[in-house]
Amino acid sequence: MNNEYVTEIRSKVAEILKDKPDRFWHSVGVANTAAALAMRYNVDMQKAYIAGLVHDCAKYLSDQDLLMECKKHGIEISEYEEKSPYLLHGKVGALYSKEKFGIDDDEILSAVTYHTTGKPDMTTLEEIIFIADFLEPMRNKAFDLDEVRSLVFIDLKKTVYIVLRDTLTYLEKSSKPIDKLTYDTYTAYKNKLEEV
Ligand code: DGI
Ligand code: FE
Ligand code: FE
């Protein structure tokens, strides 16, 4: 990886999200936040930056198009994804990252795949992308954002747990179907905290 490569990926993301400038700037925010966290947690910064840039590159697709892309490429669709197809933008984002941007790094592709639900045993890079998505500068959704933004530099796994807890509370309140993977990730990170 080098600067030209990173610049090239950023241009491609800008192009694919050209009708969604807010989404592009969110992606840049996730990239920068992920790079800062990578510095703190000894992860490859360029990988973190690139994963942040591309994580939402399939976010502009409609539910129908996401389902169609999965069927076309043999990507498995769970019953939860059938009900809430926007959950598929991670999987399709990884596919586009590979096909349209030529990214073949499995760690980056996996971080993109699981950025919405998380998964029980995430790598540090996966945790960083999952968290950076919530904490980047343009985000203002979570109610305890200030607390979480400083905690993330002290305890990454605890921050993952808090973000999952807040997300589940929000999904339950708004009566949205919850993916088993989101629940399983929450339980796994809760258990990890209780172990120490
Ligand atoms: O794409 P972004 O908006 O940047 O962020 P994201 O990919 O994390 O998606 C965020 C949304 O996904 C947020 O509103 C919570 C929702 N989400 C996370 N887990 C689940 C979920 N939605 C449903 N229906 N089920 C889940 O398990
Ligand atoms: Fe997303
Ligand atoms: Fe995002």
Side-chain angles (χ1 to χ4, degrees):
M1 270 182 223
N2 55 42
N3 292 346
E4 264 168 48
Y5 178 73
V6 176
T7 308
E8 186 192 316
I9 302 269
R10 193 169 44 214
S11 306
K12 287 181 179 170
V13 173
E15 173 61 26
I16 208 168
L17 293 176
K18 65 177 182 303
D19 296 328
K20 302 236 173 207
D22 290 354
R23 185 58 53 180
F24 174 69
W25 288 111
H26 161 69
S27 305
V28 172
V30 174
N32 286 319
T33 306
L37 290 171
M39 206 187 307
R40 161 68 180 84
Y41 291 107
N42 303 317
V43 167
D44 186 315
M45 277 177 79
Q46 286 205 349
K47 278 195 192 190
Y49 188 86
I50 287 172
L53 276 180
V54 301
H55 83 284
D56 272 342
C57 71
K59 191 77 182 186
Y60 66 95
L61 293 175
S62 66
D63 285 358
Q64 254 173 348
D65 286 346
L66 284 168
L67 289 164
M68 206 181 63
E69 283 290 41
C70 287
K71 284 176 191 148
K72 200 165 106 188
H73 292 88
I75 296 174
E76 204 185 312
I77 302 166
S78 73
E79 57 180 293
Y80 307 97
E81 291 164 339
E82 197 88 55
K83 278 187 233 158
S84 309
Y86 70 88
L87 289 170
L88 290 167
H89 76 272
K91 287 182 180 174
V92 176
L95 172 79
Y96 282 7
S97 298
K98 198 169 185 170
E99 289 201 342
K100 297 187 195 282
F101 309 152
I103 295 172
D104 56 8
D105 184 295
D106 288 336
E107 290 177 13
I108 295 179
L109 297 177
S110 182
V112 174
T113 301
Y114 294 105
H115 83 265
T116 305
T117 57
K119 69 183 175 100
D121 277 302
M122 287 190 272
T123 62
T124 308
L125 178 64
E126 287 163 347
E127 291 175 343
I128 284 175
I129 297 302
F130 180 79
I131 287 297
D133 200 9
F134 273 78
L135 304 185
E136 64 95 7
M138 304 296 172
R139 274 277 209 248
N140 54 10
K141 265 205 285 199
F143 51 85
D144 46 9
L145 216 48
D146 289 344
E147 182 199 332
V148 173
R149 278 182 173 139
S150 63
L151 179 67
V152 72
F153 289 98
I154 300 163
D155 191 334
L156 185 63
K157 289 199 192 302
K158 190 169 177 192
T159 309
V160 173
Y161 163 74
I162 292 174
V163 167
L164 282 160
R165 192 190 61 193
D166 286 1
T167 301
L168 285 175
T169 306
Y170 157 75
L171 291 170
E172 277 161 10
K173 257 196 221 153
S174 45
S175 309
K176 290 194 179 173
I178 296 169
D179 195 307
K180 183 173 180 300
L181 200 50
T182 310
Y183 260 132
D184 288 352
T185 311
Y186 168 75
T187 310
Y189 277 81
K190 191 168 191 258
N191 290 340
K192 277 182 221 280
L193 289 187
E194 282 164 6
E195 275 164 26
V196 286

